[in-house]
Amino acid sequence: MIHLKKENVLDGYFTKHREQHLEELKQFLSIPSISSLSEHKKDMKDCASYLGNLMKEAGLEHITINETAGHPVVTGDWLHAEGKPTILVYGHYDVQPVDPLELWESDPFKAEVRENKLYARGSSDDKGQVFMHIKVIEAFLKEKGELPVNVKFLIEGEEEIGSVHLPEFVESNKENLAADLVLISDTALYAPGRPAVCYALRGLTGVQIDVRSASGDLHSGIYGGGIQNSIHALVELLASFHDKHGTIQVDGFYDKVRPITDDEKAAYAALDFDAEGAKKEAGVKELFGETDFSYLERTWARPTLEINGVYGGFSGEGIKTVIPATAGAKITCRLVPDQDPYEIVKQLRAHIEKHKPAGVDITITEFDKGKPFITPLEHPYIQAAGRSYETQYDAKTAYIRAGGSIPIVAAFDEILNTPVIMMGFGLSTENFHAPNEHFHLDNFDKGLRVVSDYFEEIANIEK
């Protein structure tokens, strides 16, 4: 059993100002900062401005609304803790679209508390978690007059559309953004009441494959048996990517995969993974994948090649006796350290050329690429995060990888050469990106105290 190792120094402040903070958060959430829709461009600017004011009122300095070719980046800092580490806090103020609107039980941009959950678009991903960090700064400066560490903030408005312009911004401002670690709260707990430090993310790359067998669709009675069918060719090609166990058959694909360490295997085994629960959540009868690896290893620390979509031919009501001239598929790969997305695309191209069926031409279109990321499990900043969680959660911290990708995390690692610590307070069941997104306020309350303790923990680690 885990017990609080010490009383949180800011507990009284957080308790006294809770209702005020929730009202401010509701205002933040009321701004429809949907980065993907052009009609919300003014809302994006308004949200960046509101965020800047929140940061200024908290006591941060040098608040700047940085224009980019897309949406603004908001920065600020407090740098008066001489000799102490510097934390770069990253987050995003943009949100996903809200459709289908009719499935929301309340207005997505009029925050509402029900059963101690705050319902609104962005409540969990990521405005609510960004807001926590700002209020931690405010609490320290109001109560103590200073921070135990130096802090910089970098809050962007394009995370939900792939952080299109942020790598360029980070590269251009890397001296001003230099820090000892990057702290991100945009991930989830392992389970309700079970905190988790995420220390690795998979990278991402992919291609679109377009197959053409003829200049146009052809009558199957006249040409059937005499020419290649583009869908037949596509199916043959797609089947060549895996064996029956799901192991990827692309030459060289696994060559640079970093092995899972014994410590990681032990950490995953200690999580008591619920296979039946995973099947129920996914709505499947059985789990599937590489036979030599556990489910958590396969989804966190092994690469994948997924066929995300297939198209071609006639799919309307009834039947149409046609040989389709074109067919296609979209493929993405989740990558792990030390795989390189550009090298993987070359391997995909070589595999497609090697296995191209007769009688077709193939066009390959590349998708955006994101590199994988990892901070060593034993890093002192990682271990400190686990200790801070355990001051508020009555459970041991889980040290996990995430199967998804946050491309800017790898950019931070590559451009700033800085460890990235992901301390999330959301839950996977909170419907981010879906109707009725919400944030459990119990985790909001605990998060304020965990983050403030983490600042003190970091202050005691030598640079």
Side-chain angles (χ1 to χ4, degrees):
M1 181 170 292
I2 307 299
H3 300 282
L4 299 184
K5 61 184 178 183
K6 61 185 177 186
E7 182 180 354
N8 187 274
V9 295
L10 300 175
D11 186 76
Y13 186 88
F14 294 137
T15 300
K16 179 180 179 181
H17 294 275
R18 186 178 190 267
E19 292 308 312
Q20 174 192 336
H21 290 166
L22 285 181
E23 288 305 312
E24 292 175 359
L25 176 53
K26 288 179 180 179
Q27 283 294 113
F28 190 24
L29 294 168
S30 72
I31 306 171
S33 49
I34 304 173
S35 54
S36 61
L37 301 179
S38 58
E39 61 262 36
H40 289 283
K41 188 170 184 177
K42 181 179 182 300
D43 294 316
M44 295 299 297
K45 289 183 178 293
D46 290 345
C47 194
S49 178
Y50 185 84
L51 176 61
N53 287 332
L54 280 177
M55 291 164 60
K56 183 178 181 180
E57 291 170 4
L60 287 162
E61 301 169 344
H62 309 115
I63 310 299
T64 305
I65 311 298
N66 303 273
E67 296 296 334
T68 72
H71 300 303
V73 174
V74 185
T75 57
D77 61 40
W78 190 94
L79 304 173
H80 304 293
E82 187 176 349
K84 296 296 184 179
T86 298
I87 297 175
L88 174 62
V89 177
Y90 164 80
H92 64 94
Y93 65 88
D94 65 321
V95 300
Q96 284 279 333
V98 297
D99 54 304
L101 187 60
E102 65 272 12
L103 296 184
W104 285 81
E105 295 178 12
S106 55
D107 188 327
F109 294 111
K110 188 175 181 180
E112 183 177 299
V113 176
R114 302 194 298 270
E115 298 179 343
N116 205 34
K117 303 171 191 173
L118 183 63
Y119 285 81
R121 174 58 90 226
S123 55
S124 179
D125 180 23
D126 180 38
K127 287 181 176 179
Q129 302 200 59
V130 166
F131 185 84
M132 286 192 315
H133 287 274
I134 295 171
K135 291 305 163 183
V136 167
I137 300 300
E138 176 186 287
F140 269 119
L141 294 179
K142 298 290 187 184
E143 290 289 286
K144 306 295 181 183
E146 62 181 6
L147 300 178
V149 291
N150 300 293
V151 174
K152 299 177 181 181
F153 271 67
L154 170 64
I155 314 298
E156 68 157 321
E158 296 185 337
E159 194 274 346
E160 300 291 5
I161 53 174
S163 300
V164 186
H165 300 100
L166 193 60
E168 180 182 355
F169 180 86
V170 174
E171 182 68 48
S172 299
N173 293 273
K174 61 183 178 182
E175 291 186 9
N176 291 332
L177 296 173
D180 295 288
L181 73 149
V182 178
L183 177 59
I184 300 175
S185 293
D186 193 15
T187 50
L189 304 177
Y190 178 66
R194 185 74 187 274
V197 178
C198 179
Y199 65 94
L201 296 167
R202 291 196 286 194
L204 182 67
T205 194
V207 298
Q208 177 175 313
I209 302 170
D210 288 295
V211 177
R212 176 173 286 278
S213 61
S215 58
D217 292 350
L218 299 171
H219 191 292
S220 65
I222 298 174
Y223 294 97
I227 67 160
Q228 177 66 280
N229 182 311
S230 65
I231 294 180
H232 294 183
L234 178 66
V235 170
E236 179 184 339
L237 177 60
L238 296 181
S240 72
F241 282 114
H242 301 89
D243 69 11
K244 66 179 182 178
H245 301 295
T247 303
I248 298 164
Q249 301 298 294
V250 176
D251 290 342
F253 191 87
Y254 293 111
D255 286 356
K256 293 186 178 179
V257 171
R258 187 182 303 185
I260 305 167
T261 68
D262 290 341
D263 286 345
E264 288 177 302
K265 286 179 176 289
Y268 301 166
L271 294 176
D272 297 324
F273 170 68
D274 179 9
E276 292 304 314
K279 286 189 282 188
K280 183 177 180 181
E281 181 178 340
V284 300
K285 294 181 178 179
E286 59 183 312
L287 303 178
F288 175 79
E290 295 178 275
T291 54
D292 293 335
F293 299 91
S294 70
Y295 177 85
L296 292 182
E297 291 169 350
R298 296 197 302 261
T299 56
W300 288 352
R302 295 292 293 172
T304 68
L305 188 157
E306 300 289 355
I307 300 166
N308 307 115
V310 177
Y311 48 91
F314 177 72
S315 58
E317 184 177 357
I319 193 168
K320 184 179 182 182
T321 54
V322 65
I323 299 175
T326 61
K330 296 178 186 290
I331 290 174
T332 55
C333 301
R334 298 286 180 172
L335 309 179
V336 300
D338 298 291
Q339 289 181 300
D340 179 82
Y342 294 91
E343 185 175 352
I344 293 298
V345 167
K346 289 181 181 179
Q347 292 171 353
L348 293 178
R349 285 182 173 276
H351 180 93
I352 292 167
E353 181 61 31
K354 178 180 178 181
H355 294 271
K356 182 177 75 171
V360 297
D361 293 320
I362 294 180
T363 302
I364 300 170
T365 304
E366 299 181 16
F367 294 148
D368 291 341
K369 302 170 182 65
K371 292 185 177 181
F373 159 81
I374 189 168
T375 294
L377 183 60
E378 67 276 9
H379 196 289
Y381 292 156
I382 292 282
Q383 296 301 313
R387 293 193 297 272
S388 291
Y389 270 125
E390 290 170 7
T391 66
Q392 299 298 318
Y393 289 90
D394 193 24
K396 287 191 67 63
T397 300
Y399 295 93
I400 67 174
R401 298 194 190 196
S405 306
I406 307 177
I408 193 57
V409 172
F412 284 139
D413 180 46
E414 187 174 0
I415 298 171
L416 300 180
N417 192 27
T418 303
V420 181
I421 314 301
M422 287 172 278
M423 297 177 68
F425 298 91
L427 287 171
S428 62
T429 56
E430 288 179 335
N431 289 1
F432 37 83
H433 294 203
N436 302 308
E437 179 180 351
H438 56 279
F439 191 17
H440 285 69
L441 291 179
D442 180 58
N443 290 324
F444 173 78
D445 294 330
K446 284 183 169 67
L448 291 166
R449 292 156 175 84
V450 169
V451 171
S452 58
D453 184 85
Y454 188 58
F455 283 11
E456 293 191 308
E457 282 275 355
I458 293 301
N460 294 320
I461 296 176
E462 291 187 9
K463 293 180 62 176

